[in-house]
Amino acid sequence: EDIKLLSVNVWDNFYLLTKGYQVDSFQALKNHTIHVPLFIGAPPYALTSYIIKAQGLNPEEFTFSFGKPFGRPKELLEKFVSGAIDTVLLREPEASFALAKTKDAVVSMNYADFWRELHPKLQKLPNAGLVVKGEFYRNHKDIVELFLDELNIASKWVKENPVEAAMLSYEKMGVSIEEAKLFCQRVGFDHALSVQVKKEIKEYIDILKEQDVIKLKRGLDEGFFQ
């Protein structure tokens, strides 16, 4: 496909949350059902499987639940807060919303910590970025560059002014001010142009390939990173 990765904007936002208990490794989760967003062929499970294997364990020995037809983050959040489930993998903003709403909820495992242990030279775990079609990029470079500049400014402002950002956004997000504040304080906003983080992205994609989550018709050439 003719697509371009322009930037990565969100990092380090995979959290294994537990309610009523706390663990620091997957070994202690064998008697719990781990609720995971999306489906078995998606990045959340791929990273989970990768970390479990890295800890010398077998993912097939664990119980996972993805929901039907797939695990919707909002529904998993609601079930976790209500107490219907006690172990869930969430990203932001749902992770912060869950922590804000649930007194006995904790972050048992931050996947970014495992990532850095496994890849000391790669300091961040990519989560979300900006992708455009190649045709749009070539025909509207001025618009693209302006949008990237504004995205960079906005990302820095939110990091520096989390309370003000929460006050401006909580109503549109449909959450309380407290939930929005926690999210804006915790979220890993960090705007980086794709050419600056090619190594991190390639490493991440290689892991997804190893986990059979994605299959590339061809390798990522330099034109993919703009």
Side-chain angles (χ1 to χ4, degrees):
E1 292 291 336
D2 181 19
I3 59 174
K4 309 289 184 184
L5 175 65
L6 301 182
S7 63
V8 178
N9 315 107
V10 188
W11 305 78
D12 295 346
N13 283 331
F14 286 87
Y15 302 103
L16 197 292
L17 304 184
T18 54
K19 182 181 174 70
Y21 74 102
Q22 187 168 9
V23 298
D24 58 8
S25 72
F26 278 95
Q27 177 65 43
L29 289 176
K30 286 192 173 182
N31 294 325
H32 293 269
T33 298
I34 306 171
H35 295 264
V36 181
L38 302 181
F39 45 91
I40 197 168
Y45 175 76
L47 279 172
T48 302
S49 175
Y50 176 73
I51 293 170
I52 288 175
K53 291 177 181 178
Q55 294 184 1
L57 303 169
N58 182 356
E60 295 182 2
E61 296 178 356
F62 292 80
T63 302
F64 293 97
S65 176
F66 298 92
K68 296 179 180 180
F70 57 87
R72 294 180 173 85
K74 184 178 180 180
E75 292 180 1
L76 293 179
L77 163 64
E78 292 172 350
K79 289 181 178 180
F80 184 75
V81 171
S82 71
I85 62 177
D86 64 3
T87 310
V88 64
L89 174 63
L90 291 175
R91 290 184 282 183
E92 298 294 0
E94 289 82 13
S96 289
F97 297 165
L99 292 171
K101 286 184 171 182
T102 316
K103 292 182 179 180
D104 56 347
V106 295
V107 175
S108 275
M109 288 182 274
N110 180 351
Y111 281 19
D113 293 335
F114 293 121
W115 182 262
R116 283 185 277 273
E117 288 176 9
L118 295 169
H119 307 282
K121 294 182 180 180
L122 302 176
Q123 288 302 303
K124 292 185 177 182
L125 177 61
N127 193 170
L130 178 64
V131 176
V132 298
K133 289 186 176 181
E135 181 181 5
F136 182 85
Y137 174 79
R138 290 186 291 272
N139 294 337
H140 304 285
K141 282 189 178 182
D142 54 340
I143 296 176
V144 170
E145 294 300 328
L146 176 61
F147 187 84
L148 284 171
D149 288 343
E150 292 299 321
L151 183 57
N152 184 38
I153 292 170
S155 298
K156 288 181 178 179
W157 186 85
V158 172
K159 287 178 63 176
E160 295 170 359
N161 304 276
V163 175
E164 291 87 345
M167 296 297 291
L168 289 172
S169 62
Y170 78 95
E171 289 184 337
K172 289 188 178 296
M173 288 193 288
V175 298
S176 68
I177 294 177
E178 290 71 23
E179 290 171 78
K181 283 181 181 178
L182 187 59
F183 163 57
C184 290
Q185 290 166 346
R186 285 171 43 86
V187 66
F189 282 138
D190 190 3
H191 182 269
L193 296 177
S194 65
V195 293
Q196 299 171 329
V197 291
K198 286 191 294 185
K199 184 176 181 180
E200 285 84 349
I201 299 304
K202 288 181 177 179
E203 183 77 18
Y204 178 69
I205 290 176
D206 283 344
I207 289 173
L208 297 186
K209 287 167 59 180
E210 291 171 7
Q211 297 296 319
D212 293 324
V213 170
I214 60 174
K215 293 180 173 60
L216 299 181
K217 295 179 180 178
R218 58 184 177 82
L220 297 178
D221 55 32
E222 292 301 308
F224 176 71
F225 300 95
Q226 292 295 331

